[in-house]
Amino acid sequence: MATNTAPLVPPARHNAANVVQFLRYDFDYTLADQTTLTIGTIPAGSLIYKTLSGVQVSTVFNAGTNNYVDIGASTDSGTNNFATQLSLLALGLIAFDEAVSYYVADETKIQALVHLSGTAATTGVGQIVVAYVENNDN
């Protein structure tokens, strides 16, 4: 019987198996400079894999002045505590670059701040990837 109430949905992705999980967000050159993207939320106690996380540039961006992205927890004022100024000018996976703990004590919303400025971009496609493992043992 329909009740017209939404089912309960956990605020963060959860998989009971001990496997690497991913958040992924696709974006392109049509974003305005300083656009904040919400990538998703990861559960408390998770460990982010730094070398598997970053921005995958599949088509280079060509804005006139700035072509980079910052990635971090939404509680960080610059949204860049995991990655600062990852270049969107070369193809490939540009990994997180900050020397911080990648252990997430509390449920954490991950965001990215895209910087595309100067002459308007006409090309650019990327995917932001955050790889993590939940703490399913406790």
Side-chain angles (χ1 to χ4, degrees), residues 62-124:
N62 68 348
T65 305
N66 290 316
N67 293 278
Y68 66 88
V69 63
D70 296 327
I71 304 170
S74 62
T75 55
D76 177 53
S77 63
T79 310
N80 65 352
N81 59 325
F82 298 147
T84 302
Q85 295 188 1
L86 296 185
S87 177
L88 301 172
L89 295 173
L91 298 175
L93 178 66
I94 315 305
F96 283 180
D97 62 353
E98 290 300 317
V100 297
S101 171
Y102 285 90
Y103 172 77
V104 177
D106 300 315
E107 184 174 286
T108 302
K109 180 169 46 169
I110 308 296
Q111 291 184 315
L113 185 58
V114 179
H115 300 271
L116 301 173
S117 64
T119 307
T122 58
T123 66

Side-chain angles (χ1 to χ4, degrees), residues 15-103:
N15 184 332
N18 284 323
V19 297
V20 177
Q21 299 177 65
F22 295 89
L23 296 177
R24 175 182 167 168
Y25 192 99
D26 295 349
F27 67 104
D28 66 20
Y29 70 93
T30 60
L31 296 173
D33 186 36
Q34 305 266 340
T35 298
T36 300
L37 309 173
T38 297
I39 311 308
T41 303
I42 60 176
S46 294
L47 177 65
I48 296 173
Y49 281 109
K50 178 179 178 179
T51 57
L52 296 176
S53 301
V55 60
Q56 172 71 40
V57 179
S58 49
T59 303
V60 296
F61 288 73
N62 68 348
T65 305
N66 290 316
N67 293 278
Y68 66 88
V69 63
D70 296 327
I71 304 170
S74 62
T75 55
D76 177 53
S77 63
T79 310
N80 65 352
N81 59 325
F82 298 147
T84 302
Q85 295 188 1
L86 296 185
S87 177
L88 301 172
L89 295 173
L91 298 175
L93 178 66
I94 315 305
F96 283 180
D97 62 353
E98 290 300 317
V100 297
S101 171
Y102 285 90
Y103 172 77

